[in-house]
Amino acid sequence: MPEMPVPCTSDRWMLLLSSLVLSPASNPSRGPGADILENITESEFNDLIAVAHSNHVVMRGMEAFQNIMLAAGDHTRAQWAAAVLINERARIANALSVLRTLFDAFDAEGIDLTVIKSLDHWPDFGSDIDLYTNAAADVVCPFMQSRFNARIAPQSWGDRLACKWNFYLPNLPDPVEVHMGRLGQTGEQLFIASQVPRRARLIEVDGHTFRVASPSDRLMISTLQRMYRHFYFRLCDIVDSAALVASGGVDFEELLSSAGAAGIWEGVATYLVIVSDYVGRYGTDLKLPGFVKEAARFQGDVLYFGGKFLRVPIMPQSAALYRTQFARLLRRRQVRSSARLGLLPPLATAAAIAYKITGSDKGIW
């Protein structure tokens, strides 16, 4: 994968974070952007932390940073990282405690619940808690209000289509986002949603046991979020998906079957190739099957830095994936899902116009 241009400071921090979390453990200080480590100022370090938070790699990035500084005998900068790690561990411990309480309460009510996305980043944790349930809103919303004194955030147009609700709990600064019965940017994915609870597996995290999405479902959910909705990667997406593939836990034949049935196989293959290309710059070979590489519509060389993230061009690359998904749903006569997905272009246009006029797409996206 060719070197990407680095036009602004936030992109420089992304390169440095990539070096910290993706370079071999034997030599983590080598790699693009890592040359600034020795002379980083406290102000620059704070900028680095802001990008790390946006990309959900605070724990992994700061543990590597601290180790490098300790090895260099730089205890002052090592202490900067130590302070960040203490605060982040406290935040994550609180979020896990709330998540455990949620699971216990939902189980007691006989309501299924599966963690999606949030625990994929471990030992990091996302900015909110993402959950999936087959239960309907008229069951979940009153339960969250009565049991947890939750405040329900106003839904945007996109939230309504996607069938997701955000709840604010008194003891949690960030929202709990619950997807109900549907997945996808417009709630078009009934197939993937229907299999999430059935295929979920149990994992233990910091002494707690939770139900999480299967490896294949994790990759499909990440693909829907990155390739069909936001059109950018967080660094955690790269790191998490690479680790999942490298662990040998992905059944690629099964992934092909599931993603194909959902109409997003080309998107999943492209997502995996982008991940593989990016980590390849840091010496990791994911060894993707040939049929994955052949199905990819484009590769990692289209990525560019922008606004603290790794971005994927909407035109023509992502637009082509959208058209393929739309055509597949139509061929399968999934009329309602096709109608929902058909609303995406006008919704995205409305969000772009609102952002240009007001500086916010709140209420739309």
Side-chain angles (χ1 to χ4, degrees):
M1 179 177 173
E3 293 294 323
M4 290 182 287
V6 189
C8 69
T9 301
S10 63
D11 300 340
R12 195 182 188 195
W13 302 139
M14 176 68 89
L15 277 173
L16 176 54
L17 285 168
S18 297
S19 293
L20 289 171
V21 301
L22 289 173
S23 294
S26 60
N27 201 357
S29 61
R30 293 288 180 88
D35 58 313
I36 67 170
L37 273 174
E38 293 180 1
N39 300 307
I40 190 169
T41 67
E42 190 167 7
S43 175
E44 290 173 331
F45 179 78
N46 290 334
D47 292 338
L48 175 67
I49 293 304
V51 177
H53 273 295
S54 296
N55 285 271
H56 304 330
V57 291
V58 176
M59 293 296 298
R60 287 167 285 189
M62 287 305 99
E63 285 174 353
F65 182 97
Q66 184 182 41
N67 290 336
I68 291 169
M69 292 305 160
L70 288 173
D74 190 336
H75 295 284
T76 298
R77 290 185 174 88
Q79 188 56 43
W80 296 349
V84 171
L85 289 169
I86 289 171
N87 290 335
E88 188 66 1
R89 287 190 184 106
R91 183 188 73 85
I92 293 172
N94 180 59
L96 285 177
S97 177
V98 172
L99 184 57
R100 177 71 270 156
T101 303
L102 284 166
F103 260 79
D104 291 342
F106 272 68
D107 283 346
E109 289 292 312
I111 305 173
D112 69 276
L113 200 63
T114 304
V115 183
I116 56 174
K117 298 182 286 186
S118 296
L119 293 174
D120 294 356
H121 317 314
W122 191 259
D124 285 286
F125 196 93
S127 56
D128 55 12
I129 294 176
D130 286 285
L131 305 169
Y132 176 81
T133 180
N134 280 324
D138 58 4
V139 172
V140 176
C141 290
F143 178 68
M144 289 291 287
Q145 289 175 306
S146 61
R147 177 64 177 79
F148 296 100
N149 194 27
R151 174 174 62 86
I152 302 176
Q155 281 185 295
S156 66
W157 297 351
D159 290 341
R160 290 188 176 94
L161 282 172
C163 290
K164 66 179 180 182
W165 279 256
N166 283 285
F167 302 91
Y168 285 91
L169 278 57
N171 55 340
L172 192 68
D174 298 308
V176 175
E177 183 174 280
V178 185
H179 298 252
M180 304 181 197
R182 290 180 177 272
L183 289 169
Q185 63 273 31
T186 57
E188 79 282 356
Q189 285 296 345
L190 286 171
F191 173 76
I192 296 176
S194 67
Q195 64 184 8
V196 167
R198 176 175 58 83
R199 295 167 20 137
R201 60 194 181 97
L202 295 176
I203 65 167
E204 184 174 317
V205 175
D206 204 25
H208 302 285
T209 301
F210 300 107
R211 286 187 298 277
V212 301
S214 70
S216 291
D217 291 343
R218 279 178 56 180
L219 289 173
M220 287 190 289
I221 290 169
S222 293
T223 297
L224 287 171
Q225 188 177 33
R226 298 299 156 207
M227 306 300 294
Y228 293 91
R229 179 183 171 97
H230 293 304
F231 311 115
Y232 66 76
F233 281 67
R234 288 189 171 100
L235 185 53
C236 64
D237 302 313
I238 302 286
V239 179
D240 301 340
S241 298
L244 189 63
V245 172
S247 72
V250 179
D251 182 337
F252 287 100
E253 294 286 353
E254 189 276 328
L255 179 60
L256 168 62
S257 176
S258 295
I264 61 168
W265 168 240
E266 291 83 359
V268 171
T270 304
Y271 174 94
L272 286 169
V273 166
I274 288 174
V275 169
S276 179
D277 285 351
Y278 194 82
V279 300
R281 300 174 68 225
Y282 297 87
T284 299
D285 182 4
L286 289 188
K287 294 183 172 59
L288 295 175
F291 66 85
V292 174
K293 297 178 182 179
E294 292 170 4
R297 291 296 182 87
F298 50 93
Q299 298 178 324
D301 57 359
V302 304
L303 283 183
Y304 63 97
F305 288 114
K308 298 181 181 179
F309 303 116
L310 295 159
R311 297 194 175 272
V312 178
I314 296 177
M315 296 295 292
Q317 287 89 347
S318 296
L321 291 176
Y322 166 81
R323 289 193 296 270
T324 299
Q325 182 190 13
F326 188 63
R328 294 275 168 77
L329 291 176
L330 283 175
R331 282 202 294 271
R332 290 183 171 85
R333 298 181 180 179
Q334 297 179 22
V335 179
R336 292 184 179 179
S337 292
S338 300
R340 283 175 172 269
L341 192 57
L343 294 172
L344 180 62
L347 188 67
T349 300
I353 293 172
Y355 187 83
K356 189 172 184 179
I357 295 173
T358 67
S360 172
D361 57 10
K362 186 175 178 61
I364 298 174
W365 218 216

